[in-house]
Amino acid sequence: MKFRRRRRRRVPGLNTTATADISFMLLVFFLVTTSIDTDKGLPRLLPAPPEEQVQTLDIEKRNVLNIVLDAADRLTCGGEPVELQELQERVETFIKNADDRPDMPERHEKDIPLLGKCMVTDQHVISIQADCQTSYDAYFAMQDAVVAAYNHLRNELAQQRFHRDFRQCTAEQREAIMTLYPQRISEAELTDAQPSTLHPSPSTKKGGRP
């Protein structure tokens, strides 16, 4: 009696070509859709390093608004004690100087594209001095109030002239508004000595207290 030898059937291999393609597409998808946080700096005028010799920056006293935050988180603006809630309005009034007061920034006429001839106070400086013992909460609350003043003025002008929010304006419109209300903030550590000479510096990231 003869027995037939059974043939072993070969199991076909899996085609993994499509799997590699899918993996690559998923990788690209996650790379494109994933948002990565990037550190952003604060544009400020910083004091010059002691070893550097720089030309003195002469600023009229009326063009400078001094904001001081001491070690006990007490806030003063223009030499007067103020509450944090008042700071934004004080900064806005100083920058705008709508009444052309002699103790506030000088106003001069400037021809700005899209806006025409406007009275500007583009020589003003918001001088911020904070003690190294100032708390983080007080420090950043003060910074937010100052920046909020600029944002409010710019947004108000955008609504008046272009009937839209500042963020919705075109690049040319935003440039015109920022020419009228340039952000000019100087920052230095609070010391007993006279403030250091200031010079323009690139944006710096505030990672800790001064």
Side-chain angles (χ1 to χ4, degrees):
M1 187 174 181
K2 294 183 179 179
F3 294 95
R4 289 186 178 180
R5 186 177 294 180
R6 291 183 180 181
R7 287 185 178 182
R8 292 185 179 181
R9 295 183 180 179
R10 293 183 179 181
V11 179
L14 294 176
N15 188 353
T16 58
T17 304
T19 306
D21 293 340
I22 293 173
S23 301
F24 178 74
M25 291 176 65
L26 287 173
L27 177 61
V28 172
F29 172 78
F30 285 116
L31 288 175
V32 171
T33 58
T34 302
S35 60
I36 301 175
D37 293 334
T38 55
D39 294 330
K40 294 183 179 180
L42 298 174
R44 295 292 182 265
L45 291 172
L46 301 179
E51 65 273 7
E52 291 186 9
Q53 294 183 355
V54 297
Q55 185 177 2
T56 302
L57 181 63
D58 294 325
I59 303 176
E60 291 287 341
K61 184 177 179 180
R62 63 178 290 184
N63 291 335
V64 181
L65 178 64
N66 292 299
I67 299 174
V68 178
L69 190 63
D70 65 14
D73 292 348
R74 290 186 295 261
L75 188 64
T76 59
C77 181
E80 301 176 359
V82 295
E83 297 295 328
L84 180 63
Q85 296 79 5
E86 307 172 44
L87 183 59
Q88 179 179 340
E89 184 179 354
R90 292 285 295 268
V91 173
E92 287 183 27
T93 302
F94 178 81
I95 297 171
K96 202 169 184 179
N97 192 14
D99 299 328
D100 198 15
R101 290 173 47 177
D103 59 335
M104 289 190 175
E106 299 170 286
R107 289 158 53 93
H108 65 92
E109 190 176 75
K110 189 171 187 178
D111 192 2
I112 303 176
L114 302 182
L115 297 178
K117 293 183 178 180
C118 305
M119 298 301 294
V120 300
T121 59
D122 54 2
Q123 297 303 312
H124 77 272
V125 174
I126 307 299
S127 176
I128 294 176
Q129 290 182 293
D131 192 277
C132 61
Q133 299 301 320
T134 300
S135 68
Y136 280 96
D137 290 342
Y139 175 79
F140 286 112
M142 174 193 63
Q143 291 276 1
D144 289 343
V146 174
V147 174
Y150 282 100
N151 292 339
H152 183 261
L153 289 173
R154 291 173 176 178
N155 197 61
E156 185 179 58
L157 181 61
Q159 291 284 358
Q160 291 174 357
R161 301 301 294 269
F162 306 118
H163 309 291
R164 65 187 69 181
D165 291 337
F166 177 73
R167 291 185 177 181
Q168 297 175 339
C169 291
T170 64
E172 293 78 10
Q173 291 170 342
R174 290 197 299 269
E175 183 67 26
I177 293 171
M178 289 189 294
T179 301
L180 181 58
Y181 291 127
Q183 182 171 303
R184 294 172 56 83
I185 302 175
S186 167
E187 188 168 357
E189 183 178 351
L190 182 61
T191 60
D192 296 331
Q194 293 292 328
S196 303
T197 302
L198 300 179
H199 71 292
S201 174
S203 298
T204 56
K205 178 187 172 190
K206 197 80 176 180
R209 293 294 307 113

